[in-house]
Coordinates of all heavy atoms in Angstrom, one line a residue:
T29 N 82.5 56.2 195.8 CA 81.2 55.4 195.7 C 81.5 54.0 195.4 O 82.2 53.7 194.4 CB 80.4 56.0 194.6 OG1 80.0 57.4 195.0 CG2 79.1 55.2 194.3
C30 N 80.9 53.1 196.1 CA 81.0 51.6 195.8 C 80.2 51.4 194.6 O 79.0 51.6 194.5 CB 80.5 50.8 197.0 SG 81.6 50.8 198.3
G31 N 80.9 50.8 193.6 CA 80.2 50.6 192.3 C 79.7 49.2 192.1 O 79.5 48.5 193.1
P32 N 79.6 48.8 190.9 CA 78.9 47.5 190.6 C 79.8 46.3 190.7 O 81.0 46.4 190.5 CB 78.5 47.7 189.1 CG 79.5 48.5 188.6 CD 79.9 49.5 189.7
T33 N 79.3 45.1 191.0 CA 80.0 43.9 190.8 C 79.5 43.4 189.5 O 78.3 43.1 189.3 CB 79.6 42.9 191.9 OG1 79.8 43.5 193.2 CG2 80.5 41.6 191.9
V34 N 80.5 43.3 188.5 CA 80.1 43.2 187.1 C 80.0 41.7 186.6 O 80.6 41.4 185.6 CB 81.0 44.0 186.2 CG1 80.7 45.5 186.4 CG2 82.5 43.8 186.6
Y35 N 79.2 40.9 187.3 CA 79.1 39.5 186.9 C 77.7 39.3 186.2 O 77.4 38.2 185.7 CB 79.2 38.5 188.1 CG 78.1 38.6 189.1 CD1 77.1 37.6 189.2 CD2 78.0 39.7 190.0 CE1 76.0 37.7 190.1 CE2 76.9 39.8 190.8 CZ 75.9 38.8 190.9 OH 74.9 38.9 191.8
A36 N 76.9 40.3 186.3 CA 75.5 40.2 185.8 C 75.0 41.6 185.5 O 75.7 42.6 185.9 CB 74.6 39.6 186.8
P37 N 73.9 41.8 184.7 CA 73.5 43.1 184.4 C 73.2 43.9 185.7 O 72.7 43.3 186.7 CB 72.2 42.9 183.6 CG 72.2 41.5 183.2 CD 73.1 40.7 184.1
Q38 N 73.5 45.2 185.7 CA 73.1 46.0 186.8 C 71.7 46.4 186.7 O 71.2 46.9 185.6 CB 74.0 47.3 186.8 CG 75.5 47.0 187.2 CD 75.5 46.8 188.8 OE1 75.2 47.7 189.5 NE2 75.9 45.6 189.2
H39 N 70.9 46.2 187.8 CA 69.5 46.5 187.7 C 69.1 47.9 188.2 O 70.0 48.6 188.6 CB 68.8 45.4 188.5 CG 69.2 45.2 189.9 ND1 68.9 46.1 190.9 CD2 70.0 44.2 190.5 CE1 69.5 45.7 192.0 NE2 70.1 44.6 191.8
L40 N 67.8 48.1 188.2 CA 67.4 49.5 188.6 C 67.7 49.8 190.0 O 67.9 51.0 190.4 CB 65.9 49.6 188.4 CG 65.4 49.4 186.9 CD1 63.9 49.4 186.8 CD2 66.0 50.5 186.0
G41 N 67.8 48.8 190.9 CA 68.2 49.0 192.3 C 69.6 49.5 192.3 O 70.0 50.5 193.0
N42 N 70.5 48.9 191.6 CA 71.9 49.3 191.6 C 72.0 50.7 191.0 O 72.8 51.5 191.5 CB 72.7 48.4 190.6 CG 72.8 46.9 191.0 OD1 72.5 46.1 190.2 ND2 73.0 46.7 192.3
L43 N 71.1 51.0 190.0 CA 71.2 52.3 189.4 C 70.7 53.4 190.4 O 71.2 54.5 190.3 CB 70.2 52.3 188.2 CG 70.5 53.2 187.0 CD1 71.9 53.1 186.6 CD2 69.6 52.8 185.8
R44 N 69.9 53.0 191.3 CA 69.4 54.0 192.3 C 70.7 54.4 193.2 O 70.8 55.6 193.5 CB 68.4 53.3 193.3 CG 67.9 54.4 194.3 CD 66.8 53.9 195.2 NE 66.2 55.1 195.8 CZ 65.6 55.1 197.0 NH1 65.4 54.0 197.7 NH2 65.1 56.2 197.5
S45 N 71.6 53.5 193.4 CA 72.7 53.9 194.2 C 73.7 54.8 193.4 O 74.3 55.7 194.0 CB 73.5 52.6 194.7 OG 74.2 52.0 193.7
Q46 N 73.7 54.7 192.1 CA 74.4 55.6 191.3 C 73.7 57.0 191.2 O 74.4 58.0 191.2 CB 74.6 55.0 189.9 CG 75.5 53.8 189.9 CD 76.9 54.1 190.4 OE1 77.5 55.1 190.0 NE2 77.4 53.3 191.3
T70 N 83.9 46.3 190.8 CA 84.3 45.0 191.5 C 84.3 43.9 190.4 O 83.3 43.5 190.0 CB 83.4 44.7 192.6 OG1 83.4 45.8 193.6 CG2 83.8 43.4 193.3
H74 N 84.3 39.3 195.1 CA 83.0 39.4 195.8 C 82.4 38.0 195.8 O 82.0 37.5 194.8 CB 82.1 40.4 195.0 CG 81.0 40.9 195.8 ND1 80.2 41.9 195.4 CD2 80.4 40.4 197.0 CE1 79.2 42.1 196.3 NE2 79.3 41.2 197.2
K85 N 81.7 35.6 192.7 CA 80.6 35.8 191.8 C 81.1 35.8 190.3 O 80.5 35.4 189.4 CB 79.9 37.1 192.1 CG 79.2 37.0 193.4 CD 78.4 38.3 193.7 CE 77.7 38.3 195.1 NZ 76.8 39.4 195.3
W108 N 76.6 49.0 182.4 CA 76.4 49.9 183.6 C 76.8 51.3 183.2 O 76.0 52.2 183.5 CB 77.4 49.3 184.7 CG 77.5 50.2 185.9 CD1 76.6 50.3 186.9 CD2 78.5 51.1 186.2 NE1 77.1 51.2 187.9 CE2 78.2 51.7 187.4 CE3 79.7 51.5 185.5 CZ2 79.1 52.7 188.0 CZ3 80.5 52.5 186.1 CH2 80.2 53.0 187.4
W219 N 87.0 40.9 199.1 CA 86.3 42.0 198.4 C 86.5 43.4 199.0 O 86.7 44.3 198.3 CB 84.8 41.6 198.5 CG 83.8 42.7 198.1 CD1 84.0 43.6 197.1 CD2 82.5 43.0 198.6 NE1 82.9 44.4 197.0 CE2 82.0 44.0 197.9 CE3 81.8 42.4 199.7 CZ2 80.7 44.6 198.2 CZ3 80.6 42.9 200.0 CH2 80.0 44.0 199.2
T239 N 80.1 56.7 199.8 CA 78.7 56.3 199.6 C 78.5 54.9 199.2 O 79.5 54.2 198.7 CB 78.0 57.2 198.5 OG1 78.3 56.7 197.2 CG2 78.4 58.7 198.6
G240 N 77.3 54.4 199.4 CA 77.0 53.0 199.0 C 75.5 52.7 199.4 O 74.9 53.6 200.0
G241 N 75.1 51.6 199.1 CA 73.7 51.2 199.5 C 73.7 50.8 201.0 O 74.8 50.4 201.5
V242 N 72.5 50.8 201.6 CA 72.5 50.5 203.1 C 72.9 49.1 203.4 O 73.4 48.8 204.5 CB 71.0 50.6 203.7 CG1 70.7 52.0 204.1 CG2 70.0 50.1 202.7
D243 N 72.8 48.2 202.4 CA 73.3 46.8 202.7 C 74.8 46.8 203.0 O 75.3 45.8 203.5 CB 72.9 45.9 201.5 CG 73.4 46.5 200.2 OD1 73.6 47.7 200.0 OD2 73.7 45.7 199.2
H244 N 75.5 47.8 202.7 CA 77.0 47.8 202.9 C 77.4 48.2 204.3 O 78.5 48.0 204.7 CB 77.6 48.8 201.9 CG 77.7 48.2 200.5 ND1 77.5 46.9 200.2 CD2 78.0 48.8 199.3 CE1 77.6 46.7 198.9 NE2 77.9 47.9 198.4
H248 N 80.4 45.3 204.5 CA 81.5 45.9 203.6 C 82.1 47.1 204.1 O 83.3 47.3 204.2 CB 80.8 46.1 202.2 CG 81.8 46.6 201.1 ND1 83.0 46.0 200.9 CD2 81.7 47.6 200.3 CE1 83.6 46.7 199.9 NE2 82.9 47.7 199.5
H249 N 81.3 48.1 204.5 CA 81.8 49.4 205.0 C 82.5 49.2 206.4 O 83.5 49.9 206.7 CB 80.8 50.5 204.9 CG 80.5 50.9 203.5 ND1 79.4 51.7 203.1 CD2 81.1 50.5 202.3 CE1 79.4 51.8 201.8 NE2 80.4 51.1 201.3
H271 N 74.4 56.5 202.8 CA 73.8 55.3 202.3 C 72.4 55.5 201.7 O 71.6 56.1 202.4 CB 73.8 54.2 203.4 CG 75.2 53.9 203.9 ND1 75.8 54.5 204.9 CD2 76.1 53.0 203.3 CE1 77.0 54.0 205.0 NE2 77.2 53.1 204.1
N272 N 72.2 55.0 200.5 CA 70.9 55.1 200.0 C 70.1 53.8 200.4 O 70.7 52.8 200.6 CB 70.9 55.1 198.4 CG 71.6 53.9 197.8 OD1 72.8 53.8 197.8 ND2 70.7 52.9 197.4
E273 N 68.8 54.1 200.6 CA 67.9 52.9 200.9 C 67.6 52.1 199.7 O 68.0 52.6 198.5 CB 66.6 53.5 201.5 CG 66.4 53.2 203.0 CD 66.4 51.7 203.4 OE1 66.2 50.9 202.5 OE2 66.6 51.5 204.6
F274 N 67.0 51.0 199.8 CA 66.7 50.2 198.7 C 65.6 50.6 197.8 O 64.7 51.3 198.2 CB 66.3 48.8 199.2 CG 67.5 48.0 199.8 CD1 67.3 47.3 200.9 CD2 68.7 48.1 199.2 CE1 68.3 46.6 201.5 CE2 69.8 47.4 199.8 CZ 69.6 46.7 200.9
L275 N 65.8 50.2 196.5 CA 64.6 50.2 195.6 C 64.0 48.9 195.8 O 64.7 47.8 195.7 CB 65.1 50.4 194.2 CG 64.0 50.4 193.1 CD1 63.3 51.7 193.2 CD2 64.6 50.2 191.7
S276 N 62.7 48.8 196.1 CA 62.1 47.5 196.2 C 61.2 47.3 195.0 O 61.0 48.2 194.2 CB 61.3 47.5 197.5 OG 60.3 48.5 197.6
F277 N 60.7 46.1 194.9 CA 59.9 45.7 193.8 C 58.5 45.3 194.2 O 58.4 44.5 195.2 CB 60.6 44.6 193.0 CG 60.0 44.3 191.7 CD1 60.4 45.0 190.6 CD2 59.1 43.2 191.6 CE1 59.8 44.7 189.4 CE2 58.5 43.0 190.3 CZ 58.9 43.7 189.2
E284 N 59.5 43.8 198.0 CA 60.7 43.4 198.6 C 61.9 43.9 197.8 O 61.7 44.3 196.7 CB 60.8 41.8 198.8 CG 60.6 41.1 197.5 CD 60.7 39.6 197.6 OE1 61.0 39.1 198.8 OE2 60.7 38.9 196.6
K285 N 63.1 43.9 198.4 CA 64.3 44.5 197.8 C 64.5 43.9 196.4 O 64.3 42.7 196.2 CB 65.5 44.1 198.6 CG 66.8 44.7 198.1 CD 68.0 44.2 198.8 CE 69.3 44.6 198.0 NZ 70.5 43.9 198.5
M286 N 64.8 44.8 195.5 CA 65.1 44.4 194.1 C 66.5 43.8 194.2 O 67.4 44.5 194.5 CB 65.0 45.5 193.1 CG 65.2 45.1 191.7 SD 65.1 46.5 190.5 CE 63.3 46.6 190.4
S287 N 66.7 42.5 193.9 CA 68.1 42.0 194.0 C 68.2 40.8 193.1 O 67.2 40.0 192.9 CB 68.4 41.7 195.4 OG 67.9 40.4 195.8
K288 N 69.4 40.6 192.6 CA 69.7 39.5 191.7 C 69.4 38.2 192.4 O 68.9 37.3 191.8 CB 71.2 39.6 191.3 CG 71.5 40.6 190.3 CD 73.0 40.9 190.2 CE 73.2 42.4 189.9 NZ 74.5 42.8 190.3
N292 N 64.1 39.3 191.2 CA 63.0 40.2 190.8 C 63.6 41.5 190.2 O 63.2 42.6 190.7 CB 62.2 40.5 192.1 CG 63.0 41.1 193.2 OD1 64.2 41.3 193.0 ND2 62.4 41.5 194.3
V293 N 64.5 41.4 189.3 CA 65.2 42.6 188.8 C 64.7 43.0 187.5 O 64.3 42.2 186.6 CB 66.7 42.4 188.8 CG1 67.3 42.1 190.2 CG2 67.1 41.3 187.8
Q322 N 62.0 52.9 198.3 CA 61.2 53.4 197.2 C 60.6 52.1 196.5 O 61.4 51.2 196.1 CB 62.0 54.3 196.2 CG 61.1 54.9 195.2 CD 61.8 55.9 194.3 OE1 63.0 55.8 194.1 NE2 61.1 56.8 193.7
Ligands
AMP501 P1 76.5 45.1 193.6 O1 76.6 45.1 192.1 O2 75.6 44.0 194.2 O3 77.8 45.1 194.3 O4 75.7 46.5 194.1 C1 76.1 47.8 193.6 C2 75.5 48.8 194.5 O5 74.1 48.8 194.4 C3 75.8 48.7 196.0 O6 76.0 50.0 196.5 C4 74.5 48.2 196.6 O7 74.3 48.6 197.9 C5 73.5 48.8 195.7 N1 72.1 48.1 195.6 C6 71.9 46.8 195.4 N2 70.6 46.5 195.3 C7 70.0 47.7 195.5 C8 68.6 48.1 195.6 N3 67.6 47.2 195.4 N4 68.3 49.4 195.8 C9 69.3 50.3 196.0 N5 70.6 50.0 195.9 C10 70.9 48.7 195.7

Side-chain angles (χ1 to χ4, degrees):
T29 293
C30 286
T33 308
V34 286
Y35 70 104
Q38 285 284 298
H39 55 72
L40 298 177
N42 301 132
L43 210 47
R44 185 178 194 206
S45 72
Q46 292 300 312
T70 299
H74 194 169
K85 294 183 181 188
W108 173 82
W219 169 37
T239 81
V242 274
D243 52 333
H244 285 344
H248 182 50
H249 289 171
H271 297 93
N272 63 279
E273 252 300 344
F274 289 137
L275 180 74
S276 56
F277 189 83
E284 55 177 0
K285 179 189 172 191
M286 184 177 283
S287 80
K288 284 164 214 156
N292 60 358
V293 297
Q322 189 174 22

